[in-house]
């Protein structure tokens, strides 16, 4: 039997690729990209309750700090979600994907600064590979990048990267089904 995590991983990969292509086409044609952000957010919230079917609902030491960081995570993910469709409207899907590769770098730096995660040679090497790969991909792609799209996408990746950092701190204190909503 195929392990459940493999099914989830494959499903995630297919859905993410579909989402990236669909979001670009919808955002490009839409007079209001924010409307698509709300629609996608509502679908994500509805689907996020699926883990409630098998995950126990337990809370662990929810303090004022945890609630504050949870709020901060919500703000960061809101920035990410709100700006994403504006960025996709002004950038090609292939370029948006390249920009998304910067989010792990933001998370790495944020994790080191705010969560005292260690700087390791492997992590620094991974950042170098991400940056180098993006430079090669952008150079080979040719053409100009929309400055407006790049600025929107910078807000997207900072929101996403810092959202991951705040999420890492808070997620262990909530039942997974409740937190994912």
């Amino acid at each position: 039997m195929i392990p459940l995590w493999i099914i989830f991983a494959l499903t995630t990969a297919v859905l993410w690729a579909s989402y990236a292509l669909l979001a670009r086409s919808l955002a490009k044609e839409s007079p209001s990209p924010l409307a698509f952000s709300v629609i996608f957010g509502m679908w994500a919230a509805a689907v996020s309750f699926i883990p409630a079917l098998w995950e126990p609902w337990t809370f662990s030491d929810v303090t004022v700090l945890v609630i504050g960081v949870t709020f901060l995570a919500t703000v960061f993910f809101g920035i990410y979600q709100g700006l994403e469709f504006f960025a996709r409207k002004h950038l090609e899907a292939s370029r948006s994907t390249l920009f998304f590769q910067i989010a792990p770098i933001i998370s790495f730096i944020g994790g080191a600064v705010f969560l005292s995660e260690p700087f390791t040679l492997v992590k620094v090497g991974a950042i170098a590979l991400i940056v180098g790969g993006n430079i090669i991909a952008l150079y080979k792609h040719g053409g100009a990048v929309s400055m407006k799209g790049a600025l929107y996408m910078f807000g997207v990746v900072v929101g996403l990267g810092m959202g991951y950092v705040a999420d890492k701190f808070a997620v262990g204190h909530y039942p997974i089904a409740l937190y994912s909503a």
Side-chain angles (χ1 to χ4, degrees), residues 6 9 12 19 21 24 28 30 32 48 51 65 69 72 75 77 83 85 87-88 121 124 131 136 142 147 152 161 172:
I6 289 178
T12 300
Y19 167 74
L21 293 173
R24 165 66 178 156
K28 186 177 177 186
S30 171
S32 176
S48 69
L65 177 63
V69 173
L72 196 57
V75 169
F77 284 128
L83 291 177
F85 283 89
R88 288 184 188 276
L121 191 56
V124 172
V131 170
I136 291 168
M147 184 56 74
Y152 280 136

Side-chain angles (χ1 to χ4, degrees), residues 122-145:
V122 171
K123 290 179 183 178
V124 172
I127 287 175
L129 289 172
I130 291 169
V131 170
N134 280 348
I135 289 170
I136 291 168
L138 283 172
Y139 174 74
K140 290 292 183 182
H141 192 283
V145 175

